[in-house]
Amino acid sequence: MEMKNQNRSKFLLIVRVLRALLLNECDRLNRMFSLRVVKFNRNQFLKLGNLRIARYESNGTYNETISRFKEDLKKSMIKKDALRKTVIKNLLSDIKNNEINNNEKNKMNNEFQIYDVIQKSIKNHEDSILEFEKSKREDLKEVEMNELKVLSEYLESLPVAKKEDIDLKLRKIIEDLAAEDKSGKFHIGKIFSSKAIPWKNLEEEWKASLKAVQHSVVEIHKEMFPGKPKGSA
């Protein structure tokens, strides 16, 4: 009798899942299964018994990094390190949101995307520090600075190209492009269209994310040609 009830429950669950899939009600599936690393999508599926559910595609380095973050979170809770615990929790939440966006775009999760997530958080903290300085909130500024140190620590630990190395390559390329330009106006667009930068293969050749390189281009261009609009130099 108990076996029949179990089979009936399994059958009803399968019917509910199939119905939701047919009706394209992926949100209902996500509510039915509280899986933290799974998002239902009709385009990508992973077999689970007689069910088929979606999963995020991630490389080994990405998974290892996430595991390390989670292990550090456990350690921070044991040590009652509230600061590090908060930073890691927020970081994992941001990474999760990024995973959802990647899954919708059928993009692979990798260490370069973790770099972009951390870099964005660092930028937000730097902006907050400036705001707290203006409002003379030294207490809040100190919290942001301490969190910034933890984020910078994790950023440096990633197996990707360092900002200094990226900037060194870009600076040489930009100097050469500017020297070759005979028009008297050096547009930043010439950097973004330059074949000297492997735009479509940055992760493999430069070990850098597209966003990281784009940010450095704008930063270096502004430094080399101060007071000029982005479109020209």
Side-chain angles (χ1 to χ4, degrees):
M1 186 67 176
E2 183 179 351
M3 181 65 71
K4 287 184 178 180
N5 289 335
Q6 289 179 352
N7 290 336
R8 176 179 172 78
S9 297
K10 185 182 294 186
F11 175 78
L12 291 175
L13 177 60
I14 293 173
V15 170
R16 290 171 63 194
V17 171
L18 291 176
R19 180 179 182 278
L21 283 173
L22 289 172
L23 295 176
N24 196 25
E25 295 180 355
C26 294
D27 288 339
R28 177 179 294 183
L29 287 174
N30 287 322
R31 290 194 297 271
M32 287 166 59
F33 296 89
S34 57
L35 301 176
R36 297 177 65 84
V37 295
V38 175
K39 180 177 183 295
F40 284 90
N41 184 306
R42 292 197 304 172
N43 298 323
Q44 293 179 311
F45 293 100
L46 169 69
K47 290 184 179 179
L48 181 63
N50 292 326
L51 305 180
R52 293 163 68 84
I53 60 176
R55 69 172 178 181
Y56 295 121
E57 295 293 337
S58 308
N59 68 11
T61 304
Y62 182 93
N63 292 330
E64 290 172 5
T65 303
I66 297 300
S67 295
R68 179 163 59 87
F69 288 166
K70 290 180 178 179
E71 185 62 30
D72 286 354
L73 178 60
K74 291 179 184 177
K75 291 179 181 178
S76 67
M77 294 173 72
I78 293 173
K79 295 179 180 179
K80 300 187 185 304
D81 186 344
L83 175 72
R84 186 171 291 269
K85 182 181 74 172
T86 298
V87 171
I88 298 174
K89 276 190 171 183
N90 290 337
L91 188 55
L92 287 172
S93 176
D94 291 340
I95 291 173
K96 176 57 59 183
N97 290 332
N98 189 67
E99 284 182 353
I100 293 172
N101 292 332
N102 285 345
N103 195 49
E104 291 173 349
K105 299 174 183 177
N106 293 326
K107 291 176 62 177
M108 170 75 75
N109 295 312
N110 57 34
E111 60 272 26
F112 304 104
Q113 287 161 24
I114 294 179
Y115 179 95
D116 289 340
V117 169
I118 299 178
Q119 188 62 61
K120 182 178 179 181
S121 183
I122 286 176
K123 179 63 169 60
N124 290 338
H125 277 69
E126 290 173 341
D127 291 342
S128 295
I129 289 171
L130 292 176
E131 289 300 318
F132 291 140
E133 281 182 348
K134 292 178 182 178
S135 58
K136 300 188 184 303
R137 291 300 306 271
E138 293 299 322
D139 54 334
L140 297 178
K141 174 186 171 182
E142 184 178 0
V143 172
E144 292 290 324
M145 291 181 68
N146 289 332
E147 290 184 354
L148 182 59
K149 290 178 183 178
V150 177
L151 287 169
S152 298
E153 173 189 321
Y154 281 124
L155 188 72
E156 288 296 315
S157 70
L158 292 175
V160 301
K162 306 305 178 189
K163 186 178 186 305
E164 295 77 12
D165 297 329
I166 296 173
D167 288 355
L168 187 63
K169 290 180 180 179
L170 287 175
R171 197 174 295 278
K172 177 66 169 61
I173 291 172
I174 294 173
E175 287 175 352
D176 291 343
L177 289 172
E180 293 172 2
D181 187 75
K182 306 298 182 182
S183 66
K185 292 183 178 181
F186 181 62
H187 294 265
I188 194 172
K190 293 182 179 179
I191 305 173
F192 288 116
S193 62
S194 172
K195 293 182 179 179
I197 303 173
W199 291 109
K200 294 183 179 180
N201 205 25
L202 284 169
E203 293 179 1
E204 184 175 339
E205 294 189 28
W206 281 23
K207 299 299 180 185
S209 74
L210 176 62
K211 288 183 180 179
V213 176
Q214 289 175 332
H215 176 77
S216 286
V217 165
V218 174
E219 195 176 64
I220 294 172
H221 182 271
K222 184 177 180 180
E223 176 191 325
M224 292 178 67
F225 308 101
K228 302 288 184 179
K230 284 186 179 181
S232 62

